[in-house]
């Protein structure tokens, strides 16, 4: 997202710097609070730092929530280039090696456009995995989670305790599930227009 010139000069803002969540791709996060900013949150990369601009009135809990939201939005924007089927297959192979000791070996992995009610599917009998095109452009850790979910079905068909035990190996399972649940919830809400590169903070 482009830098916001209104908040890079003039009246000083209160800012804090912290380490980002694992896998965010930035070395530090700087949160800048501004009394001028009322209802929007924005973020951009500044070298190896991520700058998040928020209203001064936000609580610490709201700040943390919006930092996570904006990190996900930036990550999604930065991974807009969709992986091809060959790249997707290679990614699945690497994930299987890393988390399942290479035991999950799909015969094919590809994008499909006919899955609008689920994120992915697996047919253990022929070893095929299909991912919904709606995942394209989402953060990499979310795509990886869906791939791992389907890879796990090659080893355990159902969703019993053994299945979820496999996915515990992936450290971002809960966050990825939360992200996808948020997408589903957002699709049910009326569209709220906002400034480009910003999100309404409520």
């Amino acid at each position: 997202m482009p830098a916001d010139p209104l908040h890079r000069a003039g009246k000083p803002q209160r800012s804090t710097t912290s380490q980002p969540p694992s896998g965010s791709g930035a070395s530090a996060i700087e949160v800048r609070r501004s009394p001028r900013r009322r209802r929007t949150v924005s973020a951009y990369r500044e070298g190896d730092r991520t700058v998040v601009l928020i209203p001064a009135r936000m609580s610490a809990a709201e700040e943390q929530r919006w930092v996570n939201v904006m990190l996900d939005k930036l990550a999604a924007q930065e991974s807009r280039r969709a992986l091809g089927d060959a790249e997707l297959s290679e990614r699945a192979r690497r994930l299987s090696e890393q988390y399942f000791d290479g035991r999950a070996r799909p015969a094919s992995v590809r994008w499909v456009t006919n899955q609008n009610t689920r994120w992915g599917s697996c047919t253990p009998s022929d070893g095929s995995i299909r991912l919904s095109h709606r995942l394209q452009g989402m953060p990499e850790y979310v795509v990886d989670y869906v791939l791992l979910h389907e890879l796990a079905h090659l080893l355990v068909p159902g969703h019993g305790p053994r299945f979820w035990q496999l996915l515990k190996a992936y450290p971002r399972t809960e966050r990825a599930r939360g992200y996808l649940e948020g997408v589903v919830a957002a699709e049910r809400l009326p569209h709220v227009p906002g400034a480009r590169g910003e999100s309404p903070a409520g």
Side-chain angles (χ1 to χ4, degrees):
M1 297 178 187
D4 185 342
L6 291 177
H7 301 284
R8 294 187 56 121
K11 188 174 181 179
Q13 304 163 74
R14 184 160 61 90
S15 68
T16 57
T17 302
S18 61
Q19 294 303 309
S22 175
S24 69
S27 64
I29 300 163
E30 180 179 345
V31 178
R32 297 179 184 171
R33 291 174 172 264
S34 170
R36 297 180 184 176
R37 188 171 286 265
R38 300 297 182 195
R39 296 180 60 83
T40 60
V41 177
S42 63
Y44 58 90
R45 303 290 193 203
E46 191 175 75
D48 63 354
R49 180 185 303 269
T50 300
V51 178
V52 182
L53 308 172
I54 65 173
R57 62 177 174 77
M58 270 194 181
S59 67
E62 289 175 316
E63 173 184 318
Q64 187 56 57
R65 181 171 71 88
W66 278 102
V67 164
N68 288 334
V69 167
M70 300 311 288
L71 285 175
D72 282 341
K73 289 188 71 170
L74 282 174
Q77 287 185 343
E78 291 166 356
S79 62
R80 288 296 182 195
R81 185 182 70 82
L83 297 171
D85 288 350
E87 294 168 301
L88 202 60
S89 293
E90 175 59 21
R91 192 166 187 150
R93 185 193 66 77
R94 291 200 310 268
L95 288 168
S96 177
E97 288 287 345
Q98 183 175 357
Y99 294 102
F100 302 150
D101 298 321
R103 291 180 296 128
R105 299 177 182 176
S108 65
V109 184
R110 61 190 177 91
W111 296 107
V112 294
T113 58
N114 62 350
Q115 290 191 10
N116 294 316
T117 59
R118 53 186 175 176
W119 299 112
S121 63
C122 172
T123 306
S125 60
D126 64 11
S128 64
I129 289 176
R130 296 161 298 281
L131 262 58
S132 171
H133 71 288
R134 294 183 301 148
L135 289 164
Q136 294 175 344
M138 289 190 186
E140 289 183 0
Y141 75 88
V142 176
V143 178
D144 285 352
Y145 164 72
V146 178
L147 271 174
L148 280 166
H149 185 107
E150 303 310 330
L151 285 167
H153 278 310
L154 292 176
L155 304 174
V156 181
H159 289 102
R162 285 183 58 229
F163 175 85
W164 293 112
Q165 187 64 36
L166 283 174
L167 286 181
K168 277 186 178 179
Y170 183 55
R172 307 195 78 179
T173 287
E174 290 305 317
R175 188 174 181 194
R177 291 183 68 188
Y179 183 98
L180 293 172
E181 288 169 2
V183 170
V184 171
E187 288 174 348
R188 295 173 181 159
L189 296 173
H191 175 65
V192 180
R196 185 177 180 182
E198 298 186 333
S199 294

